[in-house]
Amino acid sequence: MIVSVALPIPVETLFDFTLREDGPAEAVIGRRVLVRFSGAETWGVAVAARERSGNDSSLEPILVVGPPPAFSPDLLEFCAALCRDTCSPLGIRLNRTLPRRASRAAPPARRVAVAAPRPDALSFIERARRRAPRQVAALQRLLTADAA
């Protein structure tokens, strides 16, 4: 099955991807999908399904299908009508309709290693305590976490 995906890019075109999962492609409509586009993994929203693509080249597969629909068929139609009226791309409109946390993929967790504080760093911490207490508290937590 071929699934048309609206990607959050400033283009008014839907992009076709193949669905590797068994079952009806209509069950994917309205769900967030992770696809490879221009060499990067990007989240989009599946908006249509069909048997054939108008594209003659080989299509990329959908990598991940998100949890049950983020968009109902009525909401998809409303966003499409809004895009027609405002001349805005559907992918960007759908991405902005999602909650902010859901519209981006979570970045990988990173651990920061801080070397043992130098004597001048300690004096900096004392001077900065009045101007930036939150940053100083975060720095002290990092320094004590690495020492433990």
Side-chain angles (χ1 to χ4, degrees):
M1 287 298 283
I2 306 299
V3 176
S4 294
V5 177
L7 297 174
I9 58 173
V11 176
E12 294 186 25
T13 305
L14 299 177
F15 297 91
D16 291 341
F17 294 89
T18 58
L19 182 64
R20 288 190 270 179
E21 295 180 4
D22 295 334
E26 289 76 24
V28 178
I29 304 304
R31 292 171 80 174
R32 293 180 66 227
V33 293
L34 182 65
V35 297
R36 181 166 292 284
F37 181 76
S38 293
E41 292 181 355
T42 305
W43 284 97
V45 177
V47 295
R50 57 185 180 278
E51 291 294 325
R52 268 189 221 150
S53 172
N55 189 351
D56 294 336
S57 63
S58 64
L59 301 174
E60 291 283 328
I62 291 176
L63 304 174
V64 176
V65 176
F71 295 96
S72 66
D74 292 336
L75 184 56
L76 281 174
E77 182 57 38
F78 173 75
C79 287
L82 188 62
C83 289
R84 284 190 298 272
D85 293 344
T86 60
C87 297
S88 62
L90 181 60
I92 291 177
R93 174 66 58 199
L94 293 173
N95 194 28
R96 298 270 164 81
T97 305
L98 288 169
R100 186 174 188 99
R101 196 167 46 173
S103 66
R104 290 181 265 139
R110 292 179 24 190
R111 177 153 168 79
V112 177
V114 178
R118 299 182 357 200
D120 58 337
L122 295 176
S123 65
F124 169 76
I125 289 173
E126 291 306 318
R127 286 193 317 266
R129 186 177 305 279
R130 287 182 301 247
R131 289 181 291 146
R134 286 184 181 165
Q135 287 84 353
V136 169
L139 181 59
Q140 286 178 329
R141 280 195 301 273
L142 285 171
L143 292 173
T144 57
D146 284 343

